Amino acid sequence: MERKDFIKTCGFACLGGLFVTSVLEGCSGSKVIAGTIDHSDLVVPLNAFQHNKTAYLKYLVVGHDSLKYPVCVYRFSETEYTALLMRCTHQGAELQVFGDRLECPAHGSQFSDTGQVKNGPADVNLRAFPVTVVNNQIRISLK
Ligand code: FES
């Protein structure tokens, strides 16, 4: 391949990659953010779920330096959320989120958006934390 053809091919490949990335981000319905710790609560601003003026994200992955695993927070309504520790109950691998389910990259266990085991080998539901909504904040009790 000549240099000119190589550059042309790489250019189109980069443009294609940018397009795919922007499409995936546009329909992912999620984002990763850093929460803050207040006493024993992991705190997330309520507006972090705001996708645009009328749409909300389905879930957020919330991390903090003091946490070994992130917490996945699903939004079901303005007042209903679940907060799930993203630690597989089989052997402790960190889970990945795919829309309304979490999957383990180690051996394939799957969990629902409420933390219920859907497929093994895990046979214990995910750890779920109590969630309260106070003063435009989502407070996840880590006790
Ligand atoms: S560690 Fe998750 S399925 Fe084994």
Side-chain angles (χ1 to χ4, degrees):
M1 179 183 290
E2 288 188 27
R3 184 172 183 263
K4 187 176 167 188
D5 292 334
F6 176 77
I7 291 171
K8 219 188 245 182
T9 304
C10 287
F12 285 126
C14 287
L15 285 176
L18 284 174
F19 175 75
V20 169
T21 301
S22 63
V23 167
L24 288 175
E25 284 177 357
C27 60
S28 65
S30 70
K31 69 178 175 182
V32 179
I33 66 164
T36 56
I37 298 287
D38 182 23
H39 297 90
S40 60
D41 290 348
L42 179 61
V43 181
V44 179
L46 202 53
N47 64 9
F49 275 92
Q50 192 92 40
H51 182 58
N52 58 38
K53 281 185 180 177
T54 57
Y56 294 88
L57 300 173
K58 289 181 186 172
Y59 64 87
L60 290 173
V61 174
V62 184
H64 189 274
D65 289 345
S66 66
L67 301 176
K68 189 171 179 189
Y69 296 89
V71 174
C72 185
V73 184
Y74 280 99
R75 179 188 190 275
F76 300 106
S77 73
E78 200 172 320
T79 56
E80 292 175 284
Y81 299 85
T82 58
L84 306 170
L85 186 65
M86 293 177 68
R87 179 189 186 278
C88 184
T89 55
H90 179 230
Q91 291 181 355
E94 185 171 317
L95 300 172
Q96 298 171 336
V97 190
F98 296 94
D100 59 0
R101 71 181 194 285
L102 297 105
E103 287 187 12
C104 181
H107 311 107
S109 289
Q110 295 184 337
F111 303 88
S112 73
D113 56 8
T114 56
Q116 309 295 307
V117 176
K118 290 298 175 189
N119 281 311
D123 58 1
V124 175
N125 296 334
L126 295 180
R127 181 173 179 195
F129 301 103
V131 178
T132 52
V133 180
V134 182
N135 296 331
N136 293 320
Q137 292 180 331
I138 297 168
R139 299 186 72 91
I140 300 157
S141 175
L142 302 175
K143 285 182 190 170

